[in-house]
Amino acid sequence: TDGSIARALGVGRALLGLLPGRETLVINPEGVLAGRYRAALAGKGHAEFALRVVEAATRERGSAGDL
């Protein structure tokens, strides 16, 4: 709640700095950022983005267990 994790991940503020930023980060098993989606008001877009990233990685690797 103190914002330290958001700052460490580079999540900024939204809507003129009045609200906390909203980002979805997809991290692969190796700990590497596989995708980042930033949109303060597009809740559905976050889920759709994460699903696309996971599906693409699954196709590339051949199984969901290897994402």
Side-chain angles (χ1 to χ4, degrees):
T1 60
D2 68 358
S4 59
I5 294 173
R7 282 191 304 278
L9 294 171
V11 177
R13 307 278 300 166
L15 298 175
L16 304 173
L18 301 174
L19 298 174
R22 181 174 182 174
E23 296 192 24
T24 295
L25 305 174
V26 180
I27 311 295
N28 72 15
E30 291 81 30
V32 176
L33 181 65
R36 174 180 234 142
Y37 184 83
R38 294 178 180 174
L41 302 175
K44 186 177 178 182
H46 287 266
E48 291 170 347
F49 169 78
L51 183 59
R52 282 194 312 270
V53 171
V54 170
E55 287 174 339
T58 300
R59 282 191 304 274
E60 290 175 11
R61 293 175 179 253
S63 74
D66 290 339
L67 176 69

